[in-house]
Amino acid sequence: AEDGIRDVERSRGLGDVYKRQDITARSVSTLFEVDYILCEDTRRTAKLMNHLNIKKKLKSFHKFNEHSKIKNIIDDLKKGLTIGVVSDAGSPGISDPGYLIVKNCLESNIQVESLPGPTALIPALIVSGIPCDRFTFEGFLPIKKGRKKRLEELSSEIRTMVFYESPHKILKTLNDLKIYFGDQRKVSVSKELTKIHESTIRGNLGTINLGDGKIRGEFVIIVEGLK
């Protein structure tokens, strides 16, 4: 199960109702059938479960505790339990917890299914207006160690590049991209994709402006490759 947790917090108009329906029927059916659900934030996931009228036990599973909990999870699966994994605002395993479970399941010959659904990466590419036939997904750039080296390496990348960024680092990252890639690179910045307040701003790295006021939301940055 993927995005859509924030969509159920409120509804403001017909378009928002449609966004609340982004979760697939297969995902809903699966969440009804599993024995329990692993989630980053049980409080946030509870809102989605209440909206869907699903009564399941929720267990915390995030980047700070996934290593300590993986053994018990695998033990439960070996006993025959079925476990669902959801993330707060994305797809499990894509810059979110999930990889460790898949790796350990496969090593233990436990079947894993990935349910298709909304994820910010692909919609951001499609609406960017930047070529998306070939691209590289970079996720979050290193915060400190390795950041300069990675930006230098990517400055000569010819494919379209996709980055994720948080609201309190978005301005710094855009400025760093401008420094290493140049003012004229085309860029598209999308926030809160598949959620109620989604929006996209397009331009180039020298002129892109996120506007005044407090910056909120989770961002996807699409940057064209070197011509």
Side-chain angles (χ1 to χ4, degrees):
E2 301 173 347
D3 239 334
I5 292 174
R6 292 181 187 175
D7 300 356
V8 303
E9 293 181 354
R10 69 174 70 89
S11 176
R12 294 181 180 177
L14 186 59
D16 298 333
V17 173
Y18 289 150
K19 288 186 178 68
R20 293 172 63 185
Q21 297 173 352
D22 279 346
I23 187 169
T24 66
R26 181 184 171 198
S27 296
V28 174
S29 175
T30 299
L31 291 172
F32 268 107
E33 295 170 358
V34 298
D35 292 295
Y36 65 84
I37 299 169
L38 299 173
C39 45
E40 289 186 87
D41 187 333
T42 56
R43 296 165 301 178
R44 185 175 295 281
T45 301
K47 295 177 181 179
L48 176 62
M49 297 302 105
N50 290 336
H51 174 73
L52 299 172
N53 198 29
I54 296 174
K55 307 300 181 184
K56 294 291 179 179
K57 184 173 184 179
L58 304 179
K59 295 187 178 184
S60 175
F61 183 78
H62 46 71
K63 65 180 180 179
F64 300 109
N65 70 8
E66 58 179 340
H67 288 274
S68 63
K69 291 197 171 186
I70 191 66
K71 183 181 183 302
N72 289 337
I73 292 169
I74 297 300
D75 287 344
D76 282 347
L77 290 167
K78 287 180 177 179
K79 293 174 184 175
L81 297 181
T82 303
I83 301 172
V85 181
V86 305
S87 55
D88 282 355
S91 297
I94 307 297
S95 295
D96 273 329
Y99 164 73
L100 191 62
I101 287 183
V102 173
K103 178 178 180 293
N104 280 268
C105 283
L106 297 180
E107 289 174 350
S108 300
N109 294 316
I110 296 170
Q111 182 180 354
V112 178
E113 289 187 22
S114 175
L115 279 59
T119 182
L121 164 62
I122 300 303
L125 270 168
I126 293 171
V127 304
S128 69
I130 296 172
C132 54
D133 53 335
R134 297 177 67 235
F135 63 90
T136 175
F137 175 66
E138 294 296 321
F140 291 93
L141 283 167
I143 297 175
K144 292 181 179 179
K145 185 178 180 180
R147 186 180 181 92
K148 179 176 181 292
K149 180 180 179 181
R150 190 64 189 135
L151 285 166
E152 288 174 345
E153 292 171 345
L154 290 172
S155 65
S156 59
E157 173 60 64
I158 62 173
R159 294 170 295 181
T160 296
M161 291 162 280
V162 183
F163 303 91
Y164 281 173
E165 195 50 274
S166 61
H168 58 284
K169 293 190 180 76
I170 182 67
L171 294 180
K172 171 178 170 51
T173 293
L174 287 173
N175 187 62
D176 286 347
L177 292 172
K178 179 176 71 172
I179 291 171
Y180 285 90
F181 295 178
D183 290 356
Q184 299 307 309
R185 291 281 192 103
K186 290 182 180 178
V187 62
S188 174
V189 180
S190 297
K191 74 172 183 177
E192 297 293 274
L193 282 171
T194 81
K195 305 186 190 77
I196 290 173
H197 302 294
E198 75 171 52
S199 63
T200 297
I201 300 173
R202 304 169 186 85
N204 58 55
L205 288 171
T207 62
I208 194 79
N209 186 345
L210 300 188
D212 300 325
K214 186 176 181 179
I215 296 176
R216 295 184 175 89
E218 302 298 324
F219 291 84
V220 184
I221 307 170
I222 311 294
V223 184
E224 74 170 339
L226 180 66
K227 293 183 178 179

